Amino acid sequence: GDSVTQMEGPVTLSEEAFLTINCTYTATGYPSLFWYVQYPGEGLQLLLKATKADDKGSNKGFEATYRKETTSFHLEKGSVQVSDSAVYFCALGRGKLIFGQGTTLQVKP
Amino acid sequence: NAGVTQTPKFQVLKTGQSMTLQCAQDMNHEYMSWYRQDPGMGLRLIHYSVGAGITDQGEVPNGYNVSRSTTEDFPLRLLSAAPSQTSVYFCASRRTGENTGELFFGEGSRLTVL
């Protein structure tokens, strides 16, 4: 069945560092891909999405490109801030969403 | 601007007790779902519904019941709680017909079963 694998965390970075969180998937067909973010004590909220191959989703300085050939959807940000500290979830689906295990990001001043 | 509202936020149960986690949304979303979040496991789908009177099982449905009598409400019932059901539970909804649409999440309900 469909599945999502994320890099294990936690990831600890200094402010203004470059961020990459890896996400790879296994799926039949071409599902939509998503990144959700969960701030402490809150529910998940959509960060960005891509609905077809080679699409790039972007929001709040974060980007991810839907790569069919490598079945990947890596999340990147050029310069992280302390306020980006959160848990990031990669997900795929066409209705029902399947989530990865989540990657905790901690950004230190 | 309520969105998805879950109650209670925290609950402690003893093994064998029953309870219902409530979920309500005011966005007229037809699709509603329940997930559980466990460390290292991400979010796993328990049950979902595509409209009033229609429910279906997700990845981990055992030990949980749901019903959908109205568009707004989607309660999750634990008939006989077990320690393995200790988790954080999230309700989420979206509009149907938008499979690529955003899922809106509640703030979660933290359940501990002793």
Side-chain angles (χ1 to χ4, degrees):
Chain A
D2 295 355
S3 65
V4 176
T5 302
Q6 290 181 234
M7 64 185 289
E8 289 199 19
V11 174
T12 302
L13 295 174
S14 297
E15 207 164 24
E16 299 184 2
F18 184 86
L19 169 71
T20 300
I21 300 178
N22 291 339
C23 171
T24 57
Y25 67 90
T26 302
T28 54
Y30 304 107
S32 295
L33 299 174
F34 306 83
W35 278 101
Y36 279 79
V37 59
Q38 182 182 31
Y39 298 104
E42 299 183 9
L44 282 71
Q45 53 187 277
L46 180 65
L47 180 59
L48 54 83
K49 69 179 183 183
T51 58
K52 60 183 187 296
D54 299 324
D55 264 3
K56 177 186 283 189
S58 61
N59 186 24
K60 299 181 181 179
F62 291 90
E63 293 182 339
T65 301
Y66 191 163
R67 302 282 189 202
K68 184 179 65 173
E69 60 278 4
T70 55
T71 62
S72 65
F73 193 55
H74 305 321
L75 182 67
E76 297 181 335
K77 186 175 185 183
S79 176
V80 293
Q81 306 300 312
V82 172
S83 57
D84 294 326
S85 298
V87 183
Y88 293 81
F89 291 92
C90 186
L92 68 81
R94 304 176 194 83
K96 291 184 294 180
L97 288 193
I98 296 170
F99 287 85
Q101 67 268 42
T103 302
T104 299
L105 170 66
Q106 183 178 20
V107 181
K108 296 186 174 180
Chain B
N1 231 20
V4 179
T5 303
Q6 291 182 233
T7 55
K9 286 188 167 39
F10 301 94
Q11 183 72 49
V12 179
L13 290 178
K14 294 181 180 178
T15 296
Q17 287 185 318
S18 62
M19 78 156 301
T20 299
L21 298 177
Q22 302 290 344
C23 176
Q25 52 89 11
D26 62 358
M27 298 173 282
N28 204 30
H29 287 170
E30 293 184 341
Y31 179 92
M32 296 186 74
S33 55
W34 277 101
Y35 286 86
R36 59 177 290 173
Q37 182 181 24
D38 302 292
M41 305 288 287
L43 276 77
R44 293 180 292 170
L45 182 64
I46 304 171
H47 285 286
Y48 66 98
S49 168
V50 297
I54 306 169
T55 63
D56 206 347
Q57 296 181 349
E59 182 185 355
V60 288
N62 292 342
Y64 307 95
N65 282 350
V66 292
S67 59
R68 184 91 180 272
S69 56
T70 67
T71 299
E72 294 78 20
D73 301 298
F74 191 45
L76 179 72
R77 297 184 184 84
L78 286 71
L79 297 180
S80 179
S84 60
Q85 294 178 303
T86 293
S87 186
V88 181
Y89 292 85
F90 287 98
C91 181
S93 71
R94 65 166 171 76
R95 286 154 64 173
T96 353
E98 289 190 15
N99 286 344
T100 61
E102 178 178 359
L103 261 184
F104 292 83
F105 283 81
E107 293 187 345
S109 297
R110 183 176 293 275
L111 175 66
T112 302
V113 183
L114 303 175

